Amino acid sequence: MLTKFSRLLLLSVLVPACLIATAQTKVTITAVQAVDGQNTVQGTDATIELARAEGSGGSPILSAGDLTAKVQAKVSSHNVRRSSVKDSAVNLIMEISMQAGKDKDSKRVEKIFYMDQARTSTVTQKFNFKHGITMRTITLSFNVAVE
């Protein structure tokens, strides 16, 4: 028969062990660059670590001059009853927000990786900022991997 103290001790050892045993997902962003007219700006690599196999998190990936960019990533898995191919699919949704001076723009990018596909991709998005009658187009690109 366990005493109250031994039950608390056992519980305090088992709970952290269970939390460590859960799968942790990482979204890795590399080779970040923004092309602004004739100028190319390099960003910083980022790793977004999720507490579990599924979840969301964010990280800044670019900060140069008046340009800043952030990525908010959400990872989930598909559960489609009619297709065994989609059972192991991983869904990555990224909300990319960019600021150029006082102007802001955001894009939503969704990637689905099926079965044993490599869970890597290259993302390229154009952001348009209007200043009076002139347009400032910035092309942001980076590699993303889900591990």
Side-chain angles (χ1 to χ4, degrees):
M1 182 131 183
L2 295 174
T3 65
K4 186 175 183 179
F5 176 74
S6 59
R7 278 187 250 152
L8 284 174
L9 182 63
L10 182 63
L11 185 62
S12 67
V13 170
L14 288 178
V15 169
C18 291
L19 291 175
I20 292 171
T22 60
Q24 185 175 0
T25 301
K26 293 181 185 179
V27 178
T28 307
I29 298 171
T30 58
V32 179
Q33 70 175 20
V35 178
D36 181 8
Q38 301 296 323
N39 301 326
T40 301
V41 179
Q42 300 298 321
T44 57
D45 295 349
T47 300
I48 302 169
E49 294 188 18
L50 308 179
R52 298 186 182 133
E54 298 182 28
S56 63
S59 178
I61 58 170
L62 179 69
S63 180
D66 69 338
L67 292 178
T68 59
K70 297 177 184 176
V71 173
Q72 184 73 23
K74 180 180 178 185
V75 176
S76 61
S77 60
H78 281 280
N79 186 10
V80 179
R81 293 182 184 171
R82 297 181 303 177
S83 174
S84 63
V85 173
K86 293 183 181 179
D87 281 345
S88 65
V90 174
N91 189 16
L92 172 64
I93 299 172
M94 292 177 287
E95 294 286 339
I96 306 166
S97 58
M98 179 174 271
Q99 184 172 350
K102 295 180 182 179
D103 296 330
K104 296 179 183 179
D105 193 9
S106 62
K107 304 284 183 181
R108 179 183 169 109
V109 177
E110 186 170 352
K111 301 283 184 181
I112 300 174
F113 306 103
Y114 293 106
M115 299 281 292
D116 295 330
Q117 277 183 326
R119 294 181 178 152
T120 60
S121 182
T122 300
V123 176
T124 303
Q125 287 294 312
K126 284 189 177 183
F127 294 86
N128 294 312
F129 301 100
K130 187 174 181 180
H131 298 282
I133 60 170
T134 61
M135 288 293 288
R136 181 179 179 189
T137 301
I138 300 169
T139 304
L140 179 70
S141 64
F142 57 87
N143 297 326
V144 64
V146 179
E147 302 169 7

